[in-house]
Amino acid sequence: MSLKKKIALIGFKHAGKSQLGKRLAEALGASFVDLDDNVEKFYQDLVGLEQKAPCSLIMKNHGESYFRELERQAFIELVFSYKKPNLVLALGGGAAISESNQQLLDRFYK
């Protein structure tokens, strides 16, 4: 079976979006992206780290508003750079709360 659409998984923190997303993408022959991984990579590149820092550490060291802005920037980058139609995306636990991220999610499906 091959996926011809994009699917975004939304839910509470530690609800299993990433695990489910990987399995779903594999079953559908789609790519999988975890937005938290993208946030960690975005932060790594931004501050010049040799390895990724976990989201929990970024939030602890810089606060939630800083983290949410990184998350928004990583989401923007994903939405405007990923052109293939077959993708399963796991959003971060609080990503869908933001109105600007909801607008990006709408754009993600177009």
Side-chain angles (χ1 to χ4, degrees), residues 39-55:
V39 171
E40 292 169 356
K41 178 68 173 136
F42 189 85
Y43 180 75
Q44 177 186 7
D45 294 344
L46 183 67
V47 299
L49 297 175
E50 293 205 14
Q51 59 187 13
K52 294 192 294 187
C55 290

Side-chain angles (χ1 to χ4, degrees), residues 19-103:
Q19 288 182 335
L20 176 65
K22 287 176 190 173
R23 293 167 74 188
L24 181 61
E26 185 177 311
L28 295 173
S31 298
F32 172 74
V33 173
D34 185 329
L35 186 59
D36 283 348
D37 287 343
N38 286 30
V39 171
E40 292 169 356
K41 178 68 173 136
F42 189 85
Y43 180 75
Q44 177 186 7
D45 294 344
L46 183 67
V47 299
L49 297 175
E50 293 205 14
Q51 59 187 13
K52 294 192 294 187
C55 290
S56 58
L57 184 63
I58 298 169
M59 195 175 290
K60 178 181 175 188
N61 289 343
H62 298 284
E64 184 173 2
S65 59
Y66 178 85
F67 175 80
R68 295 295 171 204
E69 181 56 27
L70 285 179
E71 183 177 60
R72 188 177 76 79
Q73 292 299 323
F75 196 18
I76 288 170
E77 188 175 283
L78 173 70
V79 167
F80 288 97
S81 67
Y82 197 91
K83 301 299 181 196
K84 297 180 198 172
N86 55 340
L87 175 68
V88 176
L89 170 65
L91 288 177
I97 295 170
S98 157
E99 187 175 325
S100 65
N101 284 350
Q102 290 171 17
Q103 292 169 355

